[in-house]
């Protein structure tokens, strides 16, 4: 995030331009719930801001054995993460992506994949 100035000059004139780079706001209301035997449903309220191109949803097993990320397009407000380890506790976070910068991270609640039956 920042403001940048560029000046171009020659013997006839000088032109100055300013470029302001701004990150989008982070998503809000991140929710996480179990969705089947080995999957989680992650939901969020979309971000406001310039040039939003989508979201990256990160998942991390609390003991660090299973980590990854999935991408969602700018119109999505939920995604299902599959193939997770039964009995594992996961931390979930969501970042807004834009054509300039990503947002700050929004964390959802931790959740444990439980046997359903």
């Amino acid at each position: 995030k920042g403001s940048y100035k560029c000046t171009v000059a020659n013997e006839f004139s000088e032109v100055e331009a300013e470029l302001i780079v701004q990150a989008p706001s982070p998503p809000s209301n991140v929710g996480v719930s179990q969705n089947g035997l080995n999957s989680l449903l992650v939901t969020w309220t979309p971000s406001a801001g310039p040039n939003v191109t989508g979201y990256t949803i990160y998942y991390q097993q609390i003991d660090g054995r299973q980590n990854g990320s999935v991408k969602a397009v700018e119109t999505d407000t939920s995604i299902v993460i599959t193939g997770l380890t039964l009995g594992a506790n996961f931390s979930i976070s969501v970042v807004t992506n834009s054509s300039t910068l990503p947002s700050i991270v929004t964390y959802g609640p931790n959740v444990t994949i439980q046997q359903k039956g």
Side-chain angles (χ1 to χ4, degrees):
K1 183 175 179 178
S3 175
Y4 305 90
K5 287 188 179 181
C6 178
T7 303
V8 178
N10 64 22
E11 67 270 13
F12 302 109
S13 68
E14 183 175 291
V15 178
E16 187 174 278
E18 183 175 12
L19 173 66
I20 299 173
V21 179
Q22 181 178 348
S25 61
S28 59
N29 303 316
V30 174
V32 183
S33 60
Q34 189 164 338
N35 186 54
L37 185 59
N38 293 69
S39 62
L40 294 174
L41 173 65
V42 181
T43 59
W44 62 89
T45 300
S47 302
N51 307 315
V52 172
T53 58
Y55 301 90
T56 302
I57 299 83
Y58 296 94
Y59 58 94
Q60 181 173 12
Q61 190 174 344
I62 299 302
D63 70 4
R65 291 187 185 152
Q66 188 175 14
N67 306 305
S69 65
V70 292
K71 301 272 187 187
V73 298
E74 69 271 13
T75 55
D76 287 344
T77 58
S78 67
I79 197 162
V80 175
I81 302 171
T82 61
L84 301 175
T85 303
L86 186 64
N89 189 8
F90 286 90
S91 169
I92 304 293
S93 58
V94 183
V95 172
T96 303
N97 300 315
S98 76
S99 58
T100 54
L101 296 169
S103 72
I104 60 172
V105 176
T106 302
Y107 293 94
N110 291 350
V111 65
T112 300
I113 306 292
Q114 299 187 18
Q115 178 73 41
K116 295 211 170 195

